[in-house]
Amino acid sequence: MIFHVLTIFPEFFEGPFAYGVVKRAKDAGLVEIRIHNLRNWTSDRHQSVDDRPFGGGEGMVLKPEPIFMAVESIWPERRPGQRVILLSAHGCLFRQAMANRLAEEAELLLVCGRDEGVDERVAEHLADEEVSIGNYVLSGGELAAAVVIDAVARLVPGVLGNETSAAFESFQDTGHGEGLLDCPHWTRPADFRGWRVPEVLISGNHAEVASWRKERARQKTRRNRPDLLGEIG
Ligand code: 9D3
């Protein structure tokens, strides 16, 4: 799978993909990540990518021309499986279901917004979807693009080695029931500063371990994410 990122901060992406699962996926040739500098598609002497908003207001807005020029030069014609995604504070919420769906595509081009936002014609006439990663204010789309690429890249077949593990471990299915958080985990030492690992995990009784974990997953979800339990609880 090929990921393109269009950004005014190409150096930002030297870090996020140089470690762990995503780095291994790149090294194995399973995913490719190409970073594009939006300023390469500016035409004026100052390489301007933004301008003041019509109607007045604070801050600057990313201009449409460089973004359209960039996308149209990266993909001179749009093939099926090539999707443009605008990262913006005003997009649809990114969820595991969206990651699963995007992992089916061949090529994604992630456009990173900045400042106060992006000229609306990019959302209306260029992007296939407009995506936000959560209900908080970021200063731009770069961190969001890295989040989306991380979540999608690990779902690409072959990336996690075990073909079933990505789907199984996904947010919706922990093995403890639909929509619960995972159960808590412990490792050695069995006694750390007097805090002992729950005895049942050392017992070797697999059936008891399984039902205990399910109950702990429910507890954890009730405490940290009651929204996931909806009406039930
Ligand atoms: C404080 C400015 N806001 C006006 C009430 C609007 C706003 C504009 C631009 C808020 C954030 C941004 C920059 N954010 C992104 O480009 C962004 C983002 C985000 O802020 N939150 C969650 N996901 C994303 S994806 C891109």
Side-chain angles (χ1 to χ4, degrees):
M1 179 162 194
I2 302 176
F3 297 92
H4 300 266
V5 181
L6 186 60
T7 173
I8 57 168
F9 297 127
E11 297 86 359
F12 178 93
F13 294 93
E14 283 163 21
F17 309 128
Y19 304 91
V21 169
V22 177
K23 180 184 193 301
R24 281 203 302 279
K26 277 179 14 180
D27 291 347
L30 295 167
V31 311
E32 198 179 313
I33 302 172
R34 302 187 194 157
I35 310 298
H36 307 272
N37 188 345
L38 181 61
R39 288 195 202 278
N40 292 346
W41 287 278
T42 52
S43 47
D44 64 313
R45 199 163 62 81
H46 296 106
Q47 298 194 296
S48 325
V49 290
D50 55 8
D51 206 340
R52 288 158 40 229
F54 276 119
E58 292 296 298
M60 301 285 269
V61 174
L62 286 186
K63 294 154 59 68
E65 298 98 322
I67 298 176
F68 273 78
M69 292 300 286
V71 172
E72 288 163 359
S73 92
I74 293 166
W75 291 336
E77 69 221 87
R78 191 88 67 90
R79 297 200 175 78
Q82 294 180 322
R83 311 275 292 171
V84 176
I85 302 196
L86 173 64
L87 282 321
S88 112
H90 314 292
C92 300
L93 194 59
F94 183 65
R95 296 166 176 278
Q96 188 65 43
M98 193 188 291
N100 295 348
R101 178 167 58 74
L102 293 179
E104 310 269 305
E105 307 288 350
E107 217 171 327
L108 300 180
L109 198 167
L110 306 174
V111 178
C112 302
R114 266 281 145 184
D115 303 315
E116 278 309 288
V118 181
D119 186 287
E120 187 63 14
R121 286 165 288 197
V122 172
E124 282 188 348
H125 304 293
L126 185 65
D128 297 296
E129 30 201 320
E130 187 175 6
V131 173
S132 157
I133 62 163
N135 302 332
Y136 34 77
V137 179
L138 298 173
S139 31
E142 280 77 8
L143 276 168
V147 166
V148 169
I149 290 175
D150 189 284
V152 174
R154 59 197 299 288
L155 299 171
V156 170
V159 167
L160 288 189
N162 177 1
E163 289 301 308
T164 59
S165 63
F168 186 74
E169 181 216 27
S170 79
F171 200 73
Q172 301 98 325
D173 188 2
T174 56
H176 303 297
E178 281 302 292
L180 291 186
L181 297 180
D182 200 0
C183 63
H185 301 280
W186 285 262
T187 186
R188 289 183 291 182
D191 185 321
F192 172 66
R193 298 184 178 177
W195 297 304
R196 292 199 49 80
V197 169
E199 215 53 52
V200 58
L201 296 177
I202 302 164
S203 71
N205 184 332
H206 296 301
E208 222 178 289
V209 167
S211 65
W212 183 87
R213 281 182 165 163
K214 186 164 193 154
E215 178 49 32
R216 290 297 301 253
R218 253 192 233 107
Q219 272 177 28
K220 188 98 172 169
T221 309
R222 201 154 46 228
R223 176 179 300 180
N224 289 355
R225 296 294 306 275
D227 56 304
L228 295 178
L229 294 170
E231 301 297 290
I232 334 152

